[in-house]
Amino acid sequence: MIDRLIEIGRCYGMEMNVEKTKVMKISRQPTPVTIKIDQKQLENVKCFKYFGSLLTDDGRCTSEIKSRIAMAKAAFSKKKNLFTSKLDLNLRKKLVKCYIWSIALYGAETWTLRAVDQKHLESFEMWCWRRMEKISWTDYVRNEEVLIRVSEQRNILHEIRKRKANWIGHVLHRNCLLKEVIEGNTEGRIEVTRRRRRRHKKMLDDLGDRTGYSHLKEKGLDRIKWRNCFGRDSGPVVLTDYR
């Protein structure tokens, strides 16, 4: 397939840059892939940045989430004087959600969140409110007390759920390749093993629809019904499974 792509490209005067072309295999047990261009072996990588998102060979979002949180904390530190100033509390909260959360949640609608990822995000949320109120970890102030001081609830996972619902709603009421990928209607051979493991969490699981994909798809075809279920007025997500 690569040879065919190179052949067609040369017909239009384009050459593939071997130095900038990488190979990454996404699998439970990634193994090196041998692909050559003009007798030159392409480099195998474990992670790759694509359109601002960090992709890893294990197919998980943990590295991307950690990277996003680190960038958001750096942005907060640059404008720390603004967020910790004597401005109105509600205004400062809006600034944090607008400028800091937007960095942390870039591309969040495509994340598949595991329990460890949820904990990282909630810890980041509390980090923002503690820094905004100048509460040091040595003050031994409980998270519940911090939330009361800033008149907030744990809301970052709910924000991700809303973004994901808005995005998936557009996908489900269209006929496109992305919809086929979500439904699993793609050609290929699946290797069956006898190892017993916990089922891998799917992207749609975060919407919490226990009636199944068919009912979720039915709601997606009806914009009004979808907005009633997953619109702005839907309540926050309650997560207790932190295994």
Side-chain angles (χ1 to χ4, degrees):
M1 185 173 61
I2 295 294
D3 292 340
R4 180 63 175 164
L5 178 63
I6 294 173
E7 180 183 349
I8 297 298
R10 285 174 176 170
C11 293
Y12 295 90
M14 296 185 295
E15 291 286 342
M16 183 175 291
N17 192 324
V18 180
E19 300 298 329
K20 294 183 179 179
T21 305
K22 313 296 181 183
V23 178
M24 183 175 68
K25 180 181 179 180
I26 299 177
S27 173
R28 291 181 179 177
Q29 296 179 344
T31 55
V33 180
T34 303
I35 298 180
K36 294 183 178 181
I37 298 178
D38 295 334
Q39 304 303 318
K40 293 182 180 179
Q41 172 71 38
L42 295 183
E43 179 185 355
N44 283 262
V45 296
K46 293 183 177 296
C47 62
F48 188 80
K49 200 151 194 177
Y50 182 72
F51 285 154
S53 296
L54 190 65
L55 309 179
T56 55
D57 58 0
D58 57 5
R60 293 175 175 171
C61 303
T62 303
S63 298
E64 166 67 4
I65 292 171
K66 289 182 178 180
S67 174
R68 282 284 148 194
I69 289 176
M71 286 188 285
K73 287 183 176 181
F76 187 100
S77 299
K78 288 182 180 179
K79 298 293 184 180
K80 182 179 179 180
N81 293 335
L82 174 63
F83 299 129
T84 59
S85 64
K86 295 182 179 180
L87 290 174
D88 180 71
L89 175 62
N90 291 327
L91 177 58
R92 287 187 289 136
K93 289 194 298 183
K94 289 180 180 179
L95 289 173
V96 169
K97 291 181 179 181
C98 178
Y99 293 107
I100 305 304
W101 283 23
S102 60
I103 296 175
L105 302 184
Y106 176 82
E109 57 270 15
T110 62
W111 292 347
T112 301
L113 298 178
R114 300 183 301 151
V116 63
D117 302 325
Q118 295 166 5
K119 293 181 71 174
H120 286 318
L121 289 164
E122 288 197 322
S123 296
F124 165 73
E125 181 179 15
M126 295 307 305
W127 182 91
C128 290
W129 302 141
R130 286 178 178 272
R131 292 299 185 278
M132 192 180 73
E133 290 299 295
K134 299 181 180 179
I135 301 174
S136 173
W137 64 273
T138 58
D139 295 336
Y140 298 103
V141 180
R142 296 177 61 85
N143 288 337
E144 291 75 13
E145 175 63 24
V146 176
L147 292 173
I148 292 174
R149 292 188 187 183
V150 297
S151 302
E152 279 287 333
Q153 295 181 350
R154 291 184 181 270
N155 197 42
I156 195 167
L157 295 178
H158 176 48
E159 178 63 27
I160 294 175
R161 182 175 183 264
K162 287 195 301 182
R163 293 189 182 195
K164 184 170 291 189
N166 290 334
W167 179 68
I168 292 179
H170 288 294
V171 175
L172 291 181
H173 66 249
R174 296 175 54 203
N175 291 321
C176 59
L177 177 61
L178 185 56
K179 182 178 178 180
E180 294 183 6
V181 172
I182 291 177
E183 292 179 344
N185 298 330
T186 54
E187 296 181 358
R189 179 179 178 182
I190 300 177
E191 182 180 355
V192 180
T193 61
R194 294 185 179 181
R195 291 178 296 178
R196 293 186 178 181
R197 294 188 178 184
R198 293 179 59 187
R199 181 182 68 87
H200 278 214
K201 193 171 185 181
K202 299 179 181 178
M203 186 168 56
L204 295 175
D205 291 346
D206 292 326
L207 296 183
D209 193 295
R210 298 182 179 180
T211 57
Y213 174 75
S214 59
H215 291 80
L216 194 66
K217 184 177 179 181
E218 180 182 350
K219 294 175 183 177
L221 296 175
D222 189 331
R223 293 176 184 266
I224 297 177
K225 185 181 294 186
W226 184 266
R227 289 172 181 169
N228 290 336
C229 292
F230 305 106
R232 295 181 179 179
D233 298 330
S234 58
V237 182
V238 178
L239 297 162
T240 57
D241 180 16
Y242 281 157
R243 292 193 295 269

